[in-house]
Amino acid sequence: MPDTALPLTTLAPQQFASDNYAGICPEAWNAMHEANAGSVPAYGDDPWTQRAADALRDLFEHEAEVFFAFNGTAANSLALASLCQSYHSVICSASAHVETDECGAPEFFSNGSKLLVAASTDGKLTPEAIRALATSRSDIHFPKPRAVTITQPTETGLVYAIDEVKAIAAVCRELGLRLHMDGARFANACAALNCSPADITWKAGVDVLCFGGTKNGMGVGEAILFFDRGLAQDFDYRCKQAGQLASKMRFLAAPWLGMIKDGAWLRNGQHANACARRLAEKISGLPEIEPMFAVQANAVFLKAPESVLDALRAKGWRFYTFIGGGARFMFAWDADPARVDQLAADIQNASENR
């Protein structure tokens, strides 16, 4: 029979439904290639893993404990589990990834720690919301609040300013809570705020960060940084038990060296953010097309008539509508400005031809 499969070189037009659609950036790819030489010890006892951990410590200006995991769900869930006993609770926003998109993994890996959800119209937690949940009950029948998790940027694409993180951290310290940051798109937040990684993490009061590599241009891999080193006790055992201890750890670690070495991690975030702004600016003022949230990082959320969304789908565009019913477009390190312009033109045509 003839081979009717499409050749691997046949590429579909670039989509912006998710920044997970992107491939591996050259810096991460080249670092993996360099690490693919020779024989080195397994399970992280290799020079690549040590150098990557040291590079992250240098980047954050802190002697943090550093671990590498395959994906964000495991990174977040294991980090939160390290902060809590099974009878504790974690305060989060209603739209937080740990609440809506991790299939109960935080509860599973913590043996039952409950997520306490704060209502939020924009995805952000506030000190007031944290205080209200943390002090709502103190009896033994209620899971004791132990930690707070914030997403930077949020699932709505908004970025916590440095002072906002500090205010949340202050409430956490007052109430005896630990502060975890889900940084799946942490590079985009640093690019948006034009600040150092230290400024919005340990200097602002964050105890542990999950730094996303996958959405920043790596093929796979997240870094977990414990700024309070005491909280990392036995975390290596958690990783092993959860299937997150890579036997060939150098291939999780080496891409971080490539990303950090000449600032590719930040350039990737800057480019993705710029493409989001590009789309937002080109469609600004179109009739019945409204931004749902301010464009601060690499996400654009649009409220539009269903006929407009259907017209975009008919043009072959993919997007999600799981937050508030609007169309979400996400931009990655490799977003093509010409393709962004095509999306803008199709939105304009759909709006004008209703």
Side-chain angles (χ1 to χ4, degrees):
M1 294 178 61
D3 185 0
T4 58
L6 289 173
L8 292 178
T9 54
T10 299
L11 299 178
Q14 188 177 60
Q15 294 285 346
F16 304 120
S18 171
D19 39 7
N20 284 325
Y21 282 29
I24 302 173
C25 71
E27 294 83 0
W29 185 270
N30 292 337
M32 289 188 69
H33 178 72
E34 290 178 18
N36 194 36
S39 173
V40 300
Y43 299 108
D45 190 21
D46 64 87
W48 295 97
T49 301
Q50 182 61 53
R51 287 168 55 201
D54 288 342
L56 284 162
R57 294 184 186 105
D58 289 344
L59 181 66
F60 282 84
E61 308 166 58
H62 194 286
E63 284 300 309
E65 288 282 2
V66 179
F67 301 87
F68 299 101
F70 288 102
N71 57 45
T73 293
N76 287 327
S77 301
L78 294 174
L80 290 172
S82 73
L83 304 179
C84 298
Q85 297 291 336
S86 59
Y87 49 82
H88 284 145
S89 56
V90 177
I91 295 171
C92 67
S93 164
S95 62
H97 203 271
V98 293
E99 163 66 10
T100 63
D101 291 284
E102 288 177 356
C103 197
E107 296 92 332
F108 176 81
F109 282 111
S110 64
N111 291 316
S113 295
K114 183 176 178 60
L115 296 179
L116 299 181
V117 176
S120 173
T121 58
D122 61 6
K124 281 187 174 182
L125 272 181
T126 64
E128 294 76 20
I130 292 167
R131 185 186 300 279
L133 278 173
T135 61
S136 62
R137 288 177 62 177
S138 59
D139 58 276
I140 201 168
H141 303 287
F142 192 73
K144 186 176 182 179
R146 174 61 176 167
V148 170
T149 178
I150 59 175
T151 313
Q152 178 73 315
T154 69
E155 286 73 11
T156 61
L158 298 182
V159 176
Y160 287 95
I162 296 172
D163 286 345
E164 288 179 304
V165 179
K166 287 182 176 179
I168 288 172
V171 170
C172 288
R173 295 293 177 266
E174 176 190 339
L175 300 175
L177 307 173
R178 294 295 188 175
L179 181 55
H180 163 264
M181 179 177 283
D182 173 355
R185 299 180 176 94
F186 182 76
N188 301 93
C190 289
L193 294 171
N194 192 29
C195 69
S196 74
D199 288 339
I200 49 172
T201 54
W202 64 272
K203 286 185 177 180
V206 173
D207 294 304
V208 56
L209 165 73
C210 295
F211 186 174
T214 307
K215 292 178 173 64
N216 190 222
M218 290 168 51
V220 63
E222 317 290 300
I224 305 155
L225 290 89
F226 286 88
F227 301 110
D228 183 336
R229 294 168 65 94
L231 298 174
Q233 183 176 358
D234 293 338
F235 192 76
D236 49 349
Y237 285 86
R238 288 188 184 276
C239 290
K240 173 61 180 179
Q241 187 181 63
Q244 295 296 311
L245 179 63
S247 55
K248 297 185 179 181
M249 184 67 78
R250 57 175 156 162
F251 297 114
L252 278 185
W256 286 101
L257 282 173
M259 300 284 285
I260 293 171
K261 182 171 60 177
D262 67 349
W265 71 276
L266 184 58
R267 287 197 307 276
N268 288 351
Q270 291 168 335
H271 176 76
N273 291 2
C275 286
R277 292 194 302 271
R278 186 185 186 103
L279 176 65
E281 290 166 2
K282 284 185 174 294
I283 62 174
S284 177
L286 291 178
E288 298 189 84
I289 307 294
E290 300 175 11
M292 295 175 62
F293 309 101
V295 177
Q296 296 180 348
N298 65 322
V300 176
F301 287 82
L302 296 178
K303 182 178 180 181
E306 193 60 34
S307 59
V308 171
L309 301 185
D310 286 341
L312 291 176
R313 294 185 184 102
K315 282 279 191 178
W317 289 104
R318 296 185 179 188
F319 49 86
Y320 294 106
T321 58
F322 56 84
I323 294 182
R328 186 196 77 164
F329 297 98
M330 300 293 304
F331 300 90
W333 69 271
D334 64 344
D336 181 356
R339 185 67 172 158
V340 176
D341 292 348
Q342 182 62 61
L343 173 58
D346 286 346
I347 293 173
Q348 181 175 354
N349 290 337
S351 173
E352 293 174 347
N353 295 323
R354 288 188 64 227

